[in-house]
Amino acid sequence: MDLETKVKKMGLGHEQGFGAPCLKCKDKCEGFELHFWRKICRNCKCGQEEHDILTSNEEDRKVGKLFEDTKYTTLIAKLKNDGIPMYKRNVMILTNPVPAKKNISINTVTYEWAPPVQNQTLARQYMQMLPKEKQPVAGSEGAQYRKKQLAKQLPAHDQDPSKCHELSPSEVKQMEQFVKKYKNEALGVGDVKLPGEVETSAAGKSKVKNGDRGTSAAVGAMEDKSPDQKPSQYSCYCCKQNMKEGDPAVYAERAGYDKLWHPACFVCCTCSELLVDMIYFWKNGNLYCGRHYCDSEKPRCAGCDELIFSNEYTQAEGQNWHLKHFCCFDCDCVLAGEIYVMVKDNPVCKPCYMKNHAATCQGCHNAIDPEVQRVAYNNFNWHATQECFLCSCCSKCLIGQKFMPVEGMVFCSVECKKKMMS
């Protein structure tokens, strides 16, 4: 190993999450090694969110920074030693006595996050209304799901210029203004309440106003109900189905308290994923996760995954790219003016395509150039030439002819097939 490689390896050793296992590739990945500007692993090409990188402490710092300078400062605490805001997650521990044959054992369930409500029964009801595989029980797939969504929905590089790659002073200023704007106009955290509680609260406010009906917080009918009257019907803003009486609902202050959601329906309108920790962005009558709200406001570079604040960028293959980031996914060479091939939505230069991705011809066993014609059947490929696409028995050219495929071989007739297979 030469000196340059040693220095490089040592430097990367200090990168956040270096060597962390990939939850998707398992043992196939040697461990996380951050690409120098893409947000992916150099070893397996999976994203950071697929690796077990962020500790709970680091996640709480990221969300704490998001809530800084907002009305949600009650959800954060500043560390005395460095003044960094930390997210105060509501961790819920439930203890259930379980009868056994001889004595009673205690079954403890820890939720790594739960809605910050005083009534633990309500929080428990909320959790039970989420799909089981998405409930953030410590050590479960639901906890891994929450962790992955924290990384995906709230990327640190969407709010913190220091997490971005080589921003100019002008771009830093634009980004700071953008973050300030969405904190003031779109960011919110859902409230878990029983619909009747909200209605009672709204009715109380209306009585203070000399009997006038409230307009901003009113939900459903607000008149006093006699005992024989049926309870008000509340329907979910997302699925339009009625809420069951006694079930908790999620409210979004930015949307107004005339709208409510089933816990499992409080999702991003773009990716349809549960809004992690109920952190939402409200725009034009829709709920968004942080990532997709930002995508609706700014172009995002398909190379580095960062928002683009420069006036100059390129569009290719239906995506946006920083000028310097429209590069080969395999070797990072710049592709401006070069021939490239899209492989799984990523551009690859022709040399890398031929070396790593090209189909192999069953006839001559060479890689097939992406610019030449080929014949494909199932997972088998041939150059569409007289030299390669031939009967596997008599070598008759089959271009434009009927043929019989058998396990990577092709035949011009039943006779040739029988002769070859016997």
Side-chain angles (χ1 to χ4, degrees):
M1 189 183 293
D2 60 31
L3 181 61
E4 185 182 351
T5 307
K6 279 184 180 177
V7 171
K8 187 178 172 187
K9 284 283 181 187
M10 286 168 65
L12 285 169
H14 296 290
E15 290 285 358
Q16 188 179 28
F18 181 77
C22 180
L23 304 172
K24 189 175 178 181
C25 300
K26 309 290 184 188
D27 294 340
K28 292 178 184 175
C29 176
E30 296 173 20
F32 186 73
E33 187 178 330
L34 184 65
H35 185 277
F36 66 105
W37 54 263
R38 300 184 198 271
K39 310 296 185 292
I40 62 169
C41 172
R42 294 176 65 136
N43 290 321
C44 67
K45 301 291 182 75
C46 289
Q48 286 175 298
E49 72 276 5
E50 299 289 356
H51 292 76
D52 196 11
I53 293 175
L54 289 181
T55 64
S56 295
N57 192 46
E58 287 157 346
E59 289 166 351
D60 292 345
R61 283 174 182 246
K62 177 179 75 171
V63 180
K65 186 170 178 63
L66 180 66
F67 290 153
E68 192 177 27
D69 302 322
T70 70
K71 64 184 296 180
Y72 300 102
T73 49
T74 52
L75 294 175
I76 62 176
K78 292 203 174 182
L79 298 180
K80 289 179 182 177
N81 55 347
D82 56 14
I84 292 175
M86 292 285 282
Y87 177 35
K88 293 189 298 185
R89 273 180 301 124
N90 182 38
V91 176
M92 183 169 69
I93 301 173
L94 300 179
T95 305
N96 303 312
V98 179
K101 287 184 179 178
K102 293 183 179 178
N103 50 22
I104 292 178
S105 63
I106 301 298
N107 178 32
T108 301
V109 177
T110 301
Y111 289 93
E112 293 187 351
W113 170 87
V117 292
Q118 295 293 322
N119 185 341
Q120 194 178 66
T121 303
L122 195 65
R124 187 174 190 166
Q125 279 181 287
Y126 167 90
M127 285 303 187
Q128 289 170 346
M129 291 178 72
L130 299 180
K132 191 165 180 63
E133 69 278 8
K134 295 182 178 179
Q135 295 175 14
V137 175
S140 71
E141 65 173 316
Q144 283 292 357
Y145 169 78
R146 174 184 171 269
K147 197 167 186 175
K148 183 174 177 179
Q149 292 307 314
L150 267 173
K152 200 164 188 177
Q153 294 184 20
L154 302 169
H157 50 270
D158 278 9
Q159 58 158 319
D160 187 350
S162 71
K163 303 292 184 184
C164 298
H165 182 69
E166 296 180 348
L167 292 184
S168 69
S170 168
E171 289 169 325
V172 169
K173 190 174 180 181
Q174 286 182 62
M175 184 174 188
E176 288 171 344
Q177 289 171 343
F178 174 71
V179 171
K180 186 178 180 181
K181 185 171 182 284
Y182 74 54
K183 284 186 178 185
N184 288 336
E185 298 178 6
L187 174 66
V189 180
D191 294 320
V192 176
K193 296 180 184 294
L194 291 171
E197 290 178 344
V198 178
E199 182 176 300
T200 304
S201 167
K205 285 181 183 177
S206 69
K207 285 175 184 175
V208 173
K209 296 179 182 179
N210 301 319
D212 291 338
R213 288 175 68 93
T215 54
S216 62
V219 182
M222 296 195 302
E223 304 84 27
D224 292 332
K225 295 184 179 66
S226 64
D228 352 338
Q229 279 184 296
K230 290 184 180 177
S232 302
Q233 289 292 315
Y234 303 95
S235 59
C236 173
Y237 186 72
C238 174
C239 71
K240 311 303 179 191
Q241 300 297 310
N242 287 342
M243 309 289 294
K244 288 182 183 174
E245 191 179 356
D247 278 352
V250 183
Y251 290 85
E253 185 183 13
R254 298 267 186 195
Y257 282 87
D258 57 332
K259 301 176 185 68
L260 70 169
W261 287 261
H262 290 110
C265 291
F266 200 65
V267 299
C268 170
C269 68
T270 302
C271 63
S272 300
E273 295 289 356
L274 281 179
L275 291 164
V276 67
D277 294 11
M278 297 190 301
I279 299 168
Y280 70 86
F281 291 73
W282 180 255
K283 178 182 175 182
N284 297 336
N286 289 306
L287 291 170
Y288 289 86
C289 67
R291 170 178 289 275
H292 291 117
Y293 170 80
C294 290
D295 286 352
S296 75
E297 293 282 313
K298 296 284 181 184
R300 184 182 296 278
C301 176
C304 68
D305 196 50
E306 294 172 17
L307 300 173
I308 300 174
F309 291 95
S310 167
N311 292 328
E312 292 186 344
Y313 61 96
T314 189
Q315 291 181 313
E317 305 298 332
Q319 299 183 93
N320 304 300
W321 314 75
H322 285 113
L323 295 177
K324 60 187 176 186
H325 289 165
F326 186 54
C327 301
C328 172
F329 193 67
D330 286 5
C331 73
D332 293 323
C333 74
V334 177
L335 293 172
E338 301 293 329
I339 294 171
Y340 65 89
V341 183
M342 293 302 288
V343 178
K344 295 179 182 177
D345 295 328
N346 294 306
V348 175
C349 68
K350 188 174 172 181
C352 282
Y353 176 83
M354 293 297 288
K355 180 182 175 184
N356 304 325
H357 307 283
T360 301
C361 175
Q362 290 294 113
C364 67
H365 304 294
N366 292 321
I368 302 175
D369 190 297
E371 296 175 278
V372 304
Q373 287 189 321
R374 65 173 168 166
V375 178
Y377 190 86
N378 288 340
N379 292 323
F380 301 107
N381 298 269
W382 294 261
H383 286 105
T385 62
Q386 294 180 351
E387 294 77 27
C388 292
F389 193 50
L390 309 172
C391 173
S392 299
C393 179
C394 70
S395 299
K396 175 184 175 182
C397 178
L398 295 177
I399 294 174
Q401 305 295 316
K402 289 183 179 178
F403 63 91
M404 303 175 69
V406 180
E407 297 177 0
M409 296 185 288
V410 283
F411 300 101
C412 63
S413 63
V414 176
E415 289 75 20
C416 275
K417 177 187 170 186
K418 285 180 178 175
K419 194 184 293 185
M420 194 72 174
M421 302 304 282
S422 62

